Amino acid sequence: MRISPLADDLARLFAQAGHRLYLVGGSVRDALLGRLSSDLDFTTDALPEQVLGIVSRWADAVWETGIEFGTVGITKRGATLEITTFRADTYDRVSRNPEVRFGDSIEGDLLRRDFTVNAMAIELSTKQFVDPHNGLAALADRVLDTPATPQESFADDPLRMLRAARFVSQLGFSPAPRVVEAMREMAGEIDRITAERVQTELSKLLTGAHPRRGLELMVDTGLAERVLPEMPGMRLAIDEHHQHKDVYQHSLTVLEQAIALEKRDDPDAEPDLVLRLAALLHDIGKPATRRFEPGGGVSFHHHEVVGAKIVRKRLRALRYSKQIVDDVSQLVFLHLRFHGYGKGEWTDSAVRRYVTDAGPLLSRLHKLVRADCTTRNKRKAAALQRTYDELEERITRIAAEEDLARVRPDLDGNEIMKLLNLPPGPLVGQAWRYLKELRLDRGPLSHEEAVAELRRWAEENGIG
């Protein structure tokens, strides 16, 4: 197994000081999977003050923000390393905050870790492999299990249930039956965890390689009811095409298709959290807008409007950033707009509005709309994709002619104030918005046309 030269250097320093140093946790797991990163985790029998004495001259930088939990962080030649004294914590099982106690053995330290695949260590001076909980076998079998019983593990830290779903997504592992059973029994314990920590795990799950698997585990165990209740709620609604078991399954399919489009456009790009959230939640408004029509049909009128509001509320509750909340809710709001395009009936004005309303989200909106085409009728699916191809071609043509990325009125605020003899204020904004709407409807105007339209608008509104 390849281990960083930095680890060897550090091991020598600890051995010279009479201490043992172990590579531990996810660092060992990833090394065994052949993907060791430059961010490494270590554990040691040295106390935090002793660790500081050993690394202070060797490291490029040292920080002590986690020292009360026994962790010293360092950087060396661009790598980030964390060294934690053996832990033997106890938990009050009311919060997830441990009563920090330092341990005296690597075996005791590994017992308190979340999953057996993260409970392996390598003693770096001798390269001895330490695996008291058969983590290597679990890694080979791609199974997620806990060192202690899952009930003990999740009672100590309920966030581990979400971490289980996250690892299912990131690693493609299957949870052991006893882990799934404990998650079902204890799903309500997740309420002890702050929204910020839940959001972090959910984001990591969504940007993993297999997010559908992680989300299905959350729904099947009841975790989603506590974290993202609108997701299992979508199982109540049959979609309008009657082509899917329910809106929930349809949404998971759209998520997978959006990910495929991500990779198609740029195989090396980082996972797009905003697109993935929008794909998962684009039909979140359907249960609230479902109507059974005469003749056996089902409608979901304005579900994109209702959905955008629900998305905004839920993502705020999960403490997502304002930018993510705004972007995801706008994509959900716009995802049905294309279906009014028909066979190309939109005017150039409608195309301009589509582009302007999407703004910097346009490329994501393209992917979302294409991913949302999940009909099993191959001819219909191909026709929808061709129609969207035509829309994109029109957008490209109009953009080349008019610079759609920066649609602005043909007169700026200073010109408006000068022409109408207005001071800065709300009237200038009204005039500016009027000219922008005109620009969207008719395309670029000459300066003379814009001035004439402004004066006509001012006269009609008794201004100037």
Side-chain angles (χ1 to χ4, degrees):
M1 181 195 301
R2 284 185 59 254
I3 300 177
S4 167
L6 290 177
D8 294 332
D9 292 347
L10 202 53
R12 281 193 291 271
L13 289 174
F14 274 77
Q16 289 167 6
H19 294 287
R20 290 189 170 188
L21 184 72
Y22 297 81
L23 187 71
V24 72
S27 296
V28 176
R29 179 200 70 220
D30 289 344
L32 290 167
L33 291 172
R35 57 184 203 184
L36 188 63
S37 74
S38 59
D39 293 347
L40 302 175
D41 292 327
F42 303 90
T43 189
T44 180
D45 58 349
L47 294 173
E49 295 77 11
Q50 294 170 319
V51 173
L52 286 172
I54 293 169
V55 303
S56 57
R57 292 187 179 181
W58 178 79
D60 295 333
V62 177
W63 67 94
E64 304 177 25
T65 50
I67 200 164
E68 64 178 305
F69 298 105
T71 299
V72 174
I74 63 177
T75 56
K76 181 71 174 183
R77 296 200 292 272
T80 301
L81 316 175
E82 288 195 344
I83 306 165
T84 302
T85 302
F86 291 158
R87 296 270 292 273
D89 302 336
T90 57
Y91 291 80
D92 60 17
R93 299 191 174 181
V94 175
S95 67
R96 69 180 294 265
N97 300 319
E99 179 186 332
V100 177
R101 291 195 297 114
F102 299 133
D104 55 11
S105 71
I106 184 63
E107 291 78 13
D109 181 89
L110 296 177
L111 178 63
R112 55 168 288 277
R113 294 183 179 265
D114 54 3
F115 300 105
T116 60
V117 293
N118 296 331
M120 299 178 283
I122 300 170
E123 205 285 325
L124 291 170
S125 62
T126 63
K127 299 298 188 288
Q128 177 190 2
F129 183 55
V130 184
D131 182 19
H133 305 289
N134 298 314
L136 184 59
L139 196 65
D141 293 338
R142 306 181 72 78
V143 170
L144 205 62
D145 204 349
T146 52
T149 67
Q151 286 81 2
E152 290 178 273
S153 182
F154 299 156
D156 283 346
D157 185 359
L159 188 65
R160 290 172 174 171
M161 293 185 286
L162 267 184
R163 286 170 62 83
R166 189 246 287 189
F167 284 128
V168 165
S169 169
Q170 289 182 327
L171 302 174
F173 286 11
S174 298
R178 68 174 192 158
V179 168
V180 176
E181 182 182 354
M183 290 173 70
R184 286 198 180 106
E185 293 173 2
M186 304 177 68
E189 293 295 308
I190 201 68
D191 295 346
R192 288 160 48 191
I193 306 302
T194 64
E196 290 82 0
R197 289 185 177 274
V198 168
Q199 178 242 99
T200 297
E201 292 299 324
L202 180 61
S203 296
K204 289 178 178 179
L205 183 159
L206 284 170
T207 52
H210 312 280
R212 182 174 189 147
R213 296 187 198 177
L215 292 167
E216 287 175 334
L217 178 61
M218 286 178 59
V219 171
D220 292 345
T221 58
L223 265 182
E225 291 281 0
R226 322 294 300 201
V227 171
L228 194 60
E230 295 82 3
M231 186 170 58
M234 288 190 285
R235 289 181 298 183
L236 301 175
I238 302 170
D239 83 330
E240 67 268 39
H241 307 299
H242 294 266
Q243 295 295 318
H244 303 278
K245 180 180 179 183
D246 53 31
V247 175
Y248 164 67
Q249 292 292 336
H250 164 72
S251 299
L252 294 177
T253 300
V254 173
L255 171 62
E256 289 184 316
Q257 294 187 170
I259 293 170
L261 290 170
E262 270 183 39
K263 294 177 179 176
R264 184 200 69 179
D265 289 357
D266 186 353
D268 299 321
E270 291 294 313
D272 189 338
L273 177 62
V274 166
L275 176 62
R276 295 184 184 199
L277 280 166
L280 177 65
L281 304 176
H282 73 286
D283 278 346
I284 200 173
K286 279 189 170 180
T289 58
R290 180 176 57 169
R291 297 290 181 272
F292 296 102
E293 304 293 347
V298 181
S299 68
F300 303 94
H301 296 309
H302 306 301
H303 77 262
E304 75 283 11
V305 178
V306 173
K309 293 178 181 177
I310 295 172
V311 163
R312 185 172 290 277
K313 182 178 179 180
R314 175 54 57 199
L315 296 188
R316 281 175 173 167
L318 287 169
R319 302 293 191 269
Y320 276 99
S321 69
K322 182 179 184 302
Q323 188 67 60
I324 288 178
V325 173
D326 289 347
D327 288 352
V328 176
S329 59
Q330 182 69 351
L331 286 170
V332 171
F333 178 72
L334 293 174
H335 84 274
L336 275 190
R337 180 86 58 92
F338 161 69
H339 294 283
Y341 187 73
K343 295 182 179 179
E345 290 89 351
W346 276 5
T347 61
D348 282 358
S349 170
V351 175
R352 290 187 199 100
R353 290 181 183 279
Y354 188 72
V355 174
T356 302
D357 289 348
L361 298 172
L362 185 61
S363 65
R364 285 170 167 146
L365 183 58
H366 289 334
K367 294 185 184 74
L368 178 59
V369 172
R370 289 185 182 276
D372 194 26
C373 176
T374 60
T375 176
R376 294 173 186 173
N377 183 323
K378 292 184 178 180
R379 291 181 61 186
K380 183 177 180 181
L384 283 169
Q385 296 293 351
R386 281 196 304 273
T387 303
Y388 205 83
D389 289 341
E390 293 168 7
L391 174 58
E392 285 203 60
E393 289 167 6
R394 284 185 69 186
I395 289 171
T396 300
R397 174 180 59 78
I398 297 172
E401 295 170 358
E402 302 180 15
D403 191 12
L404 284 181
R406 292 190 294 273
V407 170
R408 295 287 186 275
D410 296 283
L411 303 173
D412 65 21
N414 289 327
E415 290 175 293
I416 291 169
M417 288 189 288
K418 183 176 179 181
L419 287 165
L420 300 184
N421 194 28
L422 289 175
L427 288 177
V428 179
Q430 292 175 27
W432 189 92
R433 285 189 290 275
Y434 168 75
L435 290 175
K436 181 174 180 179
E437 290 296 311
L438 203 63
R439 170 76 166 75
L440 287 168
D441 284 336
R442 291 169 45 182
L445 304 178
S446 69
H447 186 269
E448 292 75 17
E449 288 175 312
V451 170
E453 289 290 349
L454 176 66
R455 292 194 185 282
R456 184 179 63 78
W457 173 84
E459 184 176 350
E460 289 177 355
N461 287 275
I463 298 169

